[in-house]
Amino acid sequence: MGRTGLFDLERYFAIYGAYHSHPVNVLLHTFLVWPLVFAVAVLLHFTPSLYNFPSGLNNHGFELNVGLVLTLMYALFYVKLDKKAGSLAALLLFLTWVGASVLASGLGFGRSWKLVLAVQVFCWPALLIGHGVFEKRLPGIADSFVEGLLMGPYFVLLEFLQSAFSYEPYPGFNKSVKEKIEADIKAWKAIKNQKKLS
């Protein structure tokens, strides 16, 4: 069954869903959130090493640095939210860290920085267009920046698993989340209409 507090997946996903209900906005997030994660992982590759791995693994771009520590923290949090989808998200995060480390090691800092900047310049405006033009609602990250950064990659994956495979973390999850999303959108529209009238 569902959890409460920090690991209340139902609450988190309902909040996310209320800000991502338009199909175009959902599609943009599906294709652009994980490239942003990858770009950040590329940049974090250049943070100082906290420990040198034996057998020359550092020569291949693998270091115990801020990038790996954040990857592990995110992965553990996602697994705690839901073992199945969270484990898949953890695997994707680890593969992202490995790919970003190898790429950044090969490109060097100068070219990596340009790649990261290009991804950011392309993805963030596209996501903002998804919210402004299609969703007609500010991104949830505007209300809770940390929560948005923490949960975004996981929710994109969970949303994909739901639509492609009808996945739900536990029986009744999708129904409960849908009701919460509809209630949130209804309340938001009522406040929006009230502001127009006043």
Side-chain angles (χ1 to χ4, degrees):
M1 283 305 285
R3 294 187 178 106
T4 58
L6 181 63
F7 300 105
D8 187 351
L9 178 58
E10 199 172 290
R11 181 181 68 84
Y12 287 138
F13 197 58
I15 293 168
Y16 176 84
Y19 286 88
H20 304 86
S21 59
H22 192 282
V24 174
N25 193 31
V26 170
L27 190 66
L28 286 169
H29 281 72
T30 300
F31 287 103
L32 299 179
V33 167
W34 278 88
L36 285 168
V37 173
F38 185 85
V40 170
V42 167
L43 196 58
L44 290 176
H45 169 75
F46 297 100
T47 57
S49 182
L50 304 171
Y51 174 79
N52 289 325
F53 289 120
S55 306
L57 278 175
N58 286 66
N59 296 335
H60 299 287
F62 301 107
E63 295 186 40
L64 176 58
N65 58 15
V66 173
L68 179 56
V69 170
L70 285 174
T71 297
L72 293 172
M73 288 172 60
Y74 268 64
L76 290 171
F77 183 70
Y78 291 165
V79 170
K80 183 73 175 168
L81 286 173
D82 173 43
K83 285 186 180 140
K84 290 179 185 174
S87 295
L88 179 57
L91 175 64
L92 290 174
L93 283 171
F94 181 72
L95 292 174
T96 298
W97 173 75
V98 170
S101 295
V102 170
L103 181 66
S105 183
L107 289 178
F109 182 75
R111 286 188 285 176
S112 292
W113 176 248
K114 290 174 187 172
L115 172 70
V116 169
L117 186 61
V119 170
Q120 302 291 325
V121 166
F122 175 77
C123 292
W124 281 113
L127 292 175
L128 291 173
I129 288 169
H131 279 283
V133 175
F134 297 99
E135 198 75 47
K136 301 194 184 326
R137 188 174 188 182
L138 284 173
I141 204 166
D143 291 335
S144 178
F145 185 73
V146 173
E147 195 172 280
L149 289 181
L150 178 63
M151 301 306 293
Y154 179 75
F155 287 148
V156 167
L157 176 63
L158 185 57
E159 196 165 49
F160 170 76
L161 292 173
Q162 280 185 321
S163 61
F165 305 106
S166 300
Y167 175 77
E168 59 181 347
Y170 52 84
F173 176 86
N174 293 344
K175 182 177 181 234
S176 181
V177 165
K178 186 178 179 185
E179 289 169 358
K180 287 180 173 142
I181 290 171
E182 288 170 356
D184 184 288
I185 292 173
K186 187 177 177 182
W188 170 71
K189 285 182 177 175
I191 291 167
K192 189 176 170 185
N193 289 335
Q194 191 176 10
K195 284 181 181 176
K196 282 182 183 177
L197 295 172
S198 56

